[in-house]
Structure formats: structure tokens, C-alpha cells
Amino acid sequence: MNLNFLNKELAKDKLLHKIIYFDELDSTNNYAKRNALENDTLILTSYQTNGIGRFNKTWETCRGKNLTFSLVKNFKLGIDEIHLINFYSSYILCQILKQYLIPFQNLEISLKWPNDILLNGKKIAGLLLDVKNLKNNLKKFIIGIGININQKEFSSDIIYKATSLSIETNIETTLESILIDFIKNFYDQLYYLKMREALIQNWIMNSKIMGRKVNFKMVDDDIEKEATVINIDYDGGLRLMFSDGDKSKFYSGEISLIYN
Ligand code: BTN
């Protein structure tokens, strides 16, 4: 990792207060949870020994091949507005990755509720949000992001679900350039947090789930139920209609698209 370059572009009185880098770390989110870190701090590592995904799943990465980082950022938001950071961060990430795919017209990037990024239907990036000071108006968000960039192989249990930029494009991309693009755009477009309807609308426009048949699973549930996506509301809730005609709205859970 070229830290001098990253510091020159992002830190040293620019967007970030500080970049903390480790060759190896258990998890960038856990590090940020354990330590009192200042606003605008970025934790970055080349290898996570205990990378965490949503629902306490493992986030698998190959040493030095992918981006794994957490951005510590304070926002004044109410409890009912926390979801905006999820939608905002995944929307920005999707926009960035799209730029790298312009030469590849057959490759399609899309967002999957609540915050996955898919490339040709397989997961290329994921986001794990932790929040400190939940009861305060000023909350400390730990925005953990994993992007599969140059990894060529995945373990057998996720091989059909996961992909990377290099698997799909056959080219290697420098990790630093994607990280710099993400951070710059993240700080540049913060006005979206005040234009919530536009943010959710743009998010929806970049997702391919509206009207689609999906399997839905609750957080602690192993049972999947087939449903059709009706909408994503401005509060981030997913509206589904189940095969028996029942309609419900969910704020957490996981969907997988059904391909006919
Ligand atoms: C998911 O889609 O399940 C979320 C994956 C989030 C992975 C990132 S990698 C950097 C940060 N540190 C972690 O331990 N997890 C997040």
C-alpha cells in the first residue's frame, strides 16, 4: 500500500484527519470500535484475520489483493436517520465502481438492498455499519467497506456468490486509486444527506431489485420466503409482497434475487 501517496491525496489537512494503516489486523471495524478515534480517521489494512460481514458472517479476503477499510465519521442524525449512511455510502461506492467499468459494456453493476454491490449478479463489495454514541445527537459512524478488487479465487462456499473486479474485467486495478476516488466522492457529495428523497431515488435507479422475485430471510432466521419487491421507502424500509399475497415492510434482513 502506497501510504505516502494516500496521505498526500487524502490526509495532511485535506479530507481526512489521519490514516492508520496495518499490514495485518483482525478487523478494521473492530479496531475502530475498540479505540477512541477522531472524526475523519481512516483505518486501512492489507489483510484482515477476522473480517466481519453482516449477520456476523466472515468477510473473506486475500492478503494484499482487496480493499478493506473503515471510515470514522461523525454525523448529527436521529436514530431514524441512521439508514441514510448505509444508502449514501453504498450509492457512492456503486458510482465509483461504475467508472472503472465504463470500457466493459457487458458488465453491469447494481445495488442490492440494504447495501450490497453486485457485479453481474455476484457480490463485489459489502458494507458494515457500526454506530457509537447511539444515544447522542452527534453519532460516530464506523463505515466498514470491503471491495473485492484483484482477488482471483474465492473459497468453495462463496465461489458462486462472490466476484472481484479483476475476475470480471481481467485487469488489475491499483487499490489506492479506488480508495482515493471513494473518499473524495464521499466527502464531495455529502449534500445528498440533506436531499434524502433524491438519495433513495438515485439508489433505487442503480438497483435492479424493483419488481423482482427474491428470497427473503430475516436476521436470525434460516427460513427463506419467496416474495416480490414492491418498493424501498424513504425511510430505507423494503416493501415486499409474499407469494400468499401478504405485504410487509422490513428494515433489516437479506434478499437474494431469483433468476428464472
Ligand atoms: C457484508 O456485506 O456482509 C459486509 C462486509 C463488510 C466487510 C468490511 S471489510 C472492512 C470492514 N472490517 C470488517 O471487519 N468488515 C468491514
Side-chain angles (χ1 to χ4, degrees), residues 26-31 43 45 48 50-61 67-70 115-117 123 125-130 142-147 254:
D26 55 339
S27 145
T28 54
N29 268 44
N30 276 355
Y31 180 90
I43 326 297
T45 187
Q48 290 190 136
N50 186 24
I52 305 162
R54 290 176 64 235
F55 301 150
N56 261 329
K57 285 185 194 158
T58 308
W59 183 255
E60 176 191 314
T61 54
L67 274 174
T68 45
F69 62 91
S70 300
N115 51 26
D116 286 346
I117 311 220
K123 186 152 160 174
L127 205 143
L128 181 69
L129 198 70
D130 284 303
I142 300 167
I143 306 164
I145 293 184
I147 317 170
E254 195 174 27

Side-chain angles (χ1 to χ4, degrees), residues 213-237:
K213 278 223 161 66
V214 296
N215 279 318
F216 175 77
K217 205 166 70 164
M218 306 265 275
V219 182
D220 295 320
D221 209 343
D222 279 339
I223 303 161
E224 285 191 326
K225 275 179 90 178
E226 204 176 300
T228 304
V229 177
I230 304 173
N231 202 7
I232 295 169
D233 287 352
Y234 293 138
D235 63 0

